[in-house]
Amino acid sequence: MAKELIRFENITKSFDGSSVLKDLNLSIHENEFVTLLGPSGCGKTTTLRILGGFESPDSGRVIFDGEDITHLPPNKRQLNTVFQKYALFTHMSVAENIAFGLKIKGHDKDTIRDRIAYSLKLVGLEGYEDRAPSSLSGGQQQRIAIARAIVNEPKVLLLDEPLGALDLKLRQGMQYELIRLKEELGITFVYVTHDQEEALTMSDTVVVMNQGIIQQIGTPEDIYNEPQNAFVADFIGESNLLDGIMVRDCLVSLNGLEMPCVDTGFGENNPVDVVIRPEDVELDASGAGQTTGTVTSIVFKGVHWEIRVDSVIGITFLVQTTEHFPVGSKVGISVDPYNIQIMNKPSREDEQVFDQDEAPQGETYES
Amino acid sequence: MTTKTLGRIYIALIMVFLYAPIAVLIVLSFNASRSRVVWGGFTLEWYSALVSNSSIMNALWTTFGLAFISALISSVIGLLGSIGIYSMRRRGYRLMLFATNIPMINADIVTGIALLLWFVRFLPLGFTSVLLAHVTFNLPYVILCILPKLRDMDIYQYEAALDLGAGEAYAFVRILMPQILPGVLSGFLMAVTMSMDDFVITYFTKGAGVNTLSTLIYGEIRKGIKPEMYALSTVLFFIVLLLLMLVNLPYDRIDLHKCLKRLKIKFFCAK
């Protein structure tokens, strides 16, 4: 693996007595695309702001390239931020915006002009030098904000929900742009979002956070296929999150129905959480399978049908399939052992399924 | 008759009641006859008498000087104060705003007497005491003009400037000042207007020998109303009117930065 560039060591932070980050430890490597993912109030933006130098932690250290930068002001750090609401300087032209950092560093006029042109080309807005930021669309403003940051050749680019204000189509386009930019520039990206799809699409590493605690760190595939607790399973993608009893290694019981799986090490007759992704539930029109059930609803979602099946073991399965099963039809239900993911029951509140209504409201900087 | 016409008549009546007395004053200032009921023909005699009267001209310059200097001082203090109040937490914010508003709602006569008592103890009455008094009552207006601008300002722009390597002072001057400058400007003009408008507080704090236009007019009128006073009041009315129009200019829509650039005020422009 590449060299470690940033390390958070035992970071804690609270605002007005409510704890936002609880003993956070995280390593970020050179040229890595790291996404901090979680619901609002989970501490992801605070983590980014501590890295940017806009907040200082109550305790713990931030190490950057081997140096302790915990108390270094933002203007002395070798990283640049793309803010959630762009934060373009409204009283300056596009070129003046991009030149802001370069002028402070004392580059000469020709260099500045070349670098402006280069960065505008990178974000696909050549010839926009003299435009006023207010005359640009949201997507264009976002690109200028990115150009203004990368023109300074930072070692790390911090992005705080940069696509949050864009519409779906534009957002998807920008996701590919960001991946391309990262490849071209070869710098580290630290990205904050609450959008799990965005996180899975772009990242090398996803850091899932809840209530100021890191729940899981892994590749998008790991996070999706092997969630470590109920919170992660529920937050990433859709899932059937079921109560089960681990009978013994490789055998789990769902309401008495024993299903073979591949997980080991959960003891015998222990209560566990079982995750089955909707696309992994197989239905059979002839009724053959591990159990049977009745289709209670079917909704067309474009790529697939989303079906609810009430099974005879008393569990309602959410199923995604390209086949059509009419409401009321009896179907067989089966799941491949490899597609059953077993997790320990949550031992703490932050590992539980996220409830929108109970989201902590303490954090000021997230919308 | 439609409601529309009724509405128009109502508006017209309000306008008449509001402005007819001032209109009469303006007309009388051009009246050649000294009588208040007879029109003796058009004259500029009273205006020329104004210009040649040294005590009136002195009062005029005192008024202007007082207005300008007190507005300048209160703009600076008000700007710093507003930034302080803006950064307070909610309770301090409310408390400070309340304290700031007291001089504005307080009866002028109370402020005037209070300041008089204070000055008599510490300071000889004169231009300085009037100036301090004017700064005192100008401050709330300046703060009320600047605070909304601070609240509207995009604090992330300031953070972005720091992020791009700017020091705090540089980021303040280059990024925050242009955003709140319209508020500072209208606060300044508001202060000029308030200062020129004031009579009561000036009257109590001025001491002997110092006169602004309003205290001078008051003094003269006690000896009997002279037509020069009509002319002087007319001049004062138009100056204040002009200032009010300046205060109400749509500064947000005017690109101040471009104006400053054109005026070659390099301070706020690109390095």
Side-chain angles (χ1 to χ4, degrees), chain A residues 16 49 54 74-75 80-81 83 87-92 96 101 103-104 148 152 365, chain B residues 89 154 156-157 159-167 170 174-175 178 257 261 270-271:
Chain A
D16 298 328
R49 288 175 61 82
F54 302 111
N75 49 351
N80 286 111
T81 310
F83 291 83
L88 293 177
F89 306 135
T90 38
H91 59 289
M92 298 183 188
E96 285 170 318
K103 277 181 186 161
I104 290 170
R148 183 178 68 177
N152 301 293
Y365 291 100
Chain B
R89 297 197 171 262
D154 180 4
Y156 288 105
Q157 286 189 30
E159 289 192 346
L162 295 184
D163 186 77
L164 292 167
Y170 185 72
R174 290 279 282 128
I175 304 304
H257 189 67
K261 229 179 207 175
K271 255 209 284 199

Side-chain angles (χ1 to χ4, degrees), chain A residues 86 137-140 142 162-171 174:
Chain A
Y86 320 146
S137 71
Q140 288 169 331
Q142 187 53 269
L163 309 183
L166 306 182
D167 59 51
L168 182 68
K169 199 78 191 160
L170 210 53
R171 204 155 67 217
M174 279 303 285

Side-chain angles (χ1 to χ4, degrees), chain B residues 140-159:
Chain B
Y141 294 97
V142 174
I143 290 175
L144 280 188
C145 283
I146 298 177
L147 260 186
K149 287 284 163 216
L150 281 167
R151 262 184 256 140
D152 288 351
M153 127 194 119
D154 180 4
I155 195 73
Y156 288 105
Q157 286 189 30
Y158 176 72
E159 289 192 346

Side-chain angles (χ1 to χ4, degrees), chain B residues 76-139:
Chain B
V76 173
I77 300 178
L79 174 62
L80 297 175
S82 306
I83 294 172
I85 295 174
Y86 169 78
S87 353
M88 282 177 179
R89 297 197 171 262
R90 183 171 291 166
R91 238 179 98 206
Y93 186 97
R94 291 234 183 104
L95 207 72
M96 273 315 287
L97 211 59
F98 182 72
T100 308
N101 287 345
I102 290 175
M104 197 165 56
I105 324 161
N106 202 7
D108 277 3
I109 192 130
V110 178
T111 311
I113 293 174
L115 285 170
L116 172 68
L117 284 174
W118 189 253
F119 288 149
V120 167
R121 176 75 182 77
F122 296 106
L123 195 79
L125 294 184
F127 185 81
T128 319
S129 61
V130 187
L131 182 66
L132 287 178
H134 279 222
V135 169
T136 310
F137 69 73
N138 277 342
L139 267 174

Side-chain angles (χ1 to χ4, degrees), chain A residues 120-152:
Chain A
L120 280 176
K121 192 167 169 235
L122 265 180
V123 296
L125 287 176
E126 289 139 295
Y128 276 67
E129 277 90 343
D130 296 324
R131 297 279 291 271
S134 56
S135 73
L136 305 178
S137 71
Q140 288 169 331
Q141 289 189 34
Q142 187 53 269
R143 284 157 196 258
I144 299 301
I146 293 169
R148 183 178 68 177
I150 59 177
V151 79
N152 301 293

